[in-house]
Amino acid sequence: MSNINDYIDIVGQDVIDELHIIGNKLHDKTVQNINSTSVGGGVAEILTRMVPLLRQLGVNARWDIIKGNEKFFAITKKIHNALHGVNEDISSEDLEYFLEVNRENIEEISSFEDILFIHDPQPIALVEKKRDIGKNWVWRCHIDFTDPKPDIMNFLKSYIEKYDSAVFSAPAFSKDISIPQILISPSIDPLSDKNKELNQDMIDSVLERFEIDKDRPIVTQISRFDYLKDPVGVIEVYKKVKKYIDIQLILAGGGATDDPEGIKVLEEVRSKAADDRDIHVILLPPSSDIEINALQRGSTVILQKSLKEGFGLTVSESLWKAKPVIASAVGGIPFQIKHKYSGILTHSIDGTSHYLKQLLYEPEYAQKLGVNGKEHIKNNFLITRHIRDYMLLFLSLYHKDDVVYL
Ligand code: UDP
């Protein structure tokens, strides 16, 4: 695990000194993070790195995971999709079951600490406990909230408004709700196995292990196998560009324990890839961080063709590696990519194919995008900035009368 002082070389002494000062002010508070999975997806990714670093700064942080069965996660996935604007059939029995599992979890959780930091919709109804115990409750929304289905939004709103405040990842996600809303973007950890520097031998050995030819262009999308990441659309893009340039495609990802749809999507992707030996569909086990790092570093161009995206940590990860990225202009992605400056934003299969060809034909331009992208991530989306924002949020909960919300 990294030491907080290891970040001085990247962000400077002042930034770390400030974190220590803010952390000291929180030394008597315990922050309890609660979400629904320990692996897979961006939330688990961030908490794994964040919790130990907060502790080093003197903040007593802990992380609990709610329990749910297959039925519960099938319902929460439908809720997740509906919040992303997808038509889903969610019955009142589904919602009742969702609440029942939340209530069972309230009984299971051994203690509730000073600050309850609840991530995403799955555990949202734990806030019913607030009636009995008070304390500070913050709901952290990591998902793309631009166009939720109204019924599910109304259902959730009655719970969101029980919280003291809500945190969103992008301004476009803010909602007409009665509690203060705070904008905090996610981040990546430059020292994690997923993002640290790797030597060329390590990169080559991972490419070799997956039978990828390092002498031909490699186009990669790393994502959970999820319809909203549009892996099938990525294959369409590949097929269009393959007519002109002899590229290879990597679609690599695993599942998350709270996402039951993954297997179905993976099967569909495999059937679309059929017997094309230049499409590498790689099912990654959890803790494949070095492999993901190497695949990103070994790629010529990275794609993130999501249809919806909370933030898109894979975009930050790739830009941090100074890679040219072509990504959909959805969710938090335009926050990270300024079109034609720090990457390319697209809206369709045709647009993505067009720019992919251009970046492959113009490697110097592609490289420039990657270099600019890295600088942007360094200035805005590293974990040190994220920790600072969270600690200031926690402090503000104890100084509510002094805080002005816009
Ligand atoms: N990730 C991973 N293994 C996988 C697929 C994804 O570790 O098989 C990581 C990926 O590198 C990134 C995070 O999970 O750090 C995904 O976050 P993102 O915001 O891109 O999407 P989410 O999955 O949260 O929708």
Side-chain angles (χ1 to χ4, degrees):
M1 183 58 215
S2 312
N3 184 291
I4 189 72
N5 293 324
D6 298 342
Y7 295 80
I8 292 170
D9 287 346
I10 301 171
V11 295
Q13 182 76 50
D14 291 354
V15 170
I16 304 304
D17 287 349
E18 191 187 15
L19 293 184
H20 281 291
I21 291 167
I22 307 172
N24 270 333
K25 293 188 187 297
L26 284 162
H27 73 276
D28 56 345
K29 303 285 181 251
T30 298
V31 180
Q32 186 172 7
N33 293 278
I34 304 180
N35 82 322
S36 61
T37 179
S38 62
V39 289
V43 182
E45 178 77 22
I46 292 171
L47 287 175
T48 305
R49 303 298 298 179
M50 175 85 78
V51 167
L53 290 172
L54 280 169
R55 287 192 188 139
Q56 288 178 36
L57 289 164
V59 184
N60 192 8
R62 61 181 257 201
W63 177 9
D64 292 311
I65 294 160
I66 57 162
K67 295 198 182 85
N69 57 15
E70 215 175 301
K71 180 175 172 188
F72 176 72
F73 288 126
I75 295 168
T76 58
K77 184 67 202 234
K78 285 201 286 183
I79 293 175
H80 179 87
N81 288 343
L83 289 171
H84 282 110
V86 177
N87 279 321
E88 288 281 5
D89 189 12
I90 303 172
S91 65
S92 50
E93 287 79 34
D94 285 345
L95 295 179
E96 197 37 57
Y97 189 75
F98 168 80
L99 293 176
E100 202 179 302
V101 173
N102 265 263
R103 284 176 198 136
E104 282 166 18
N105 274 284
I106 291 180
E107 300 308 319
E108 289 265 328
I109 293 172
S110 56
S111 60
F112 287 85
E113 306 296 347
D114 305 302
I115 299 169
L116 281 307
F117 201 28
I118 310 296
H119 298 261
D120 278 344
Q122 296 91 333
I124 197 169
L126 295 180
V127 72
E128 286 188 348
K129 181 79 179 173
K130 189 177 174 199
R131 266 198 313 247
D132 308 329
I133 61 165
K135 313 239 182 191
N136 279 299
W137 291 72
V138 181
W139 187 57
R140 202 319 173 199
C141 175
H142 295 267
I143 58 187
D144 183 338
F145 238 36
T146 36
D147 189 24
K149 293 286 173 200
D151 287 356
I152 197 67
M153 187 62 217
N154 286 335
F155 169 77
L156 280 190
K157 191 170 163 182
S158 61
Y159 289 92
I160 297 171
E161 290 187 334
K162 291 186 168 58
Y163 283 80
D164 295 291
S165 50
V167 181
F168 295 95
S169 294
F173 303 163
S174 70
K175 283 278 154 286
D176 182 19
I177 50 176
S178 60
I179 57 168
Q181 300 175 64
I182 294 133
L183 170 66
I184 300 181
S185 336
S187 65
I188 58 159
D189 185 340
L191 298 180
S192 65
D193 282 349
K194 172 127 348 125
N195 297 309
K196 68 184 184 188
E197 293 289 336
L198 292 182
N199 63 38
Q200 194 58 44
D201 287 349
M202 173 63 94
I203 298 169
D204 289 349
S205 79
V206 170
L207 292 178
E208 210 169 292
R209 176 143 50 97
F210 291 119
E211 298 180 358
I212 295 152
D213 175 4
K214 65 182 168 60
D215 297 321
R216 286 185 294 142
I218 301 168
V219 177
T220 300
Q221 174 162 301
I222 308 275
S223 276
R224 290 178 295 106
F225 288 96
D226 181 327
Y227 290 114
L228 294 176
K229 309 287 183 184
D230 200 17
V232 171
V234 172
I235 294 181
E236 299 289 318
V237 169
Y238 160 86
K239 286 183 175 163
K240 279 177 182 277
V241 176
K242 182 82 170 168
K243 291 182 193 147
Y244 303 90
I245 307 170
D246 186 19
I247 53 174
Q248 305 163 86
L249 176 66
I250 302 175
L251 281 167
T257 49
D258 60 352
D259 178 5
E261 264 180 354
I263 301 295
K264 218 166 96 205
V265 179
L266 178 63
E267 277 166 13
E268 202 175 316
V269 167
R270 284 198 168 130
S271 100
K272 290 273 176 201
D275 49 7
D276 186 329
R277 291 176 57 85
D278 280 335
I279 303 181
H280 300 264
V281 180
I282 302 173
L283 181 60
L284 294 168
S287 69
S288 299
D289 289 0
I290 295 280
E291 285 79 2
I292 291 175
N293 190 344
L295 291 174
Q296 287 169 332
R297 288 185 190 277
S299 297
T300 320
V301 177
I302 303 277
L303 301 183
Q304 190 60 52
K305 219 208 131 306
S306 305
L307 305 174
K308 294 278 178 177
E309 194 60 76
F311 182 71
L313 282 180
T314 49
V315 171
S316 319
E317 289 161 8
S318 307
L319 292 176
W320 176 247
K321 291 156 188 134
K323 288 291 155 182
V325 177
I326 305 175
S328 308
V330 295
I333 291 177
F335 240 40
Q336 305 181 60
I337 293 183
K338 189 166 183 302
H339 184 49
K340 296 187 179 179
Y341 178 74
S342 52
I344 297 290
L345 292 175
T346 57
H347 301 86
S348 65
I349 288 174
D350 282 344
T352 309
S353 314
H354 166 82
Y355 281 110
L356 178 55
K357 266 192 294 181
Q358 185 187 2
L359 296 196
L360 292 167
Y361 282 136
E362 298 179 41
E364 277 175 23
Y365 175 51
Q367 195 190 357
K368 183 79 190 145
L369 296 177
V371 169
N372 291 343
K374 178 166 186 172
E375 189 62 21
H376 185 58
I377 299 302
K378 182 179 168 187
N379 293 333
N380 297 284
F381 301 117
L382 295 188
I383 195 165
T384 40
R385 189 276 308 149
H386 198 178
I387 290 174
R388 179 178 183 275
D389 286 355
Y390 273 175
M391 290 197 305
L392 289 174
L393 164 67
F394 301 148
L395 265 184
S396 75
L397 297 170
Y398 295 93
H399 300 273
K400 284 184 187 136
D401 294 341
D402 304 333
V403 179
V404 180
Y405 294 102
L406 297 175

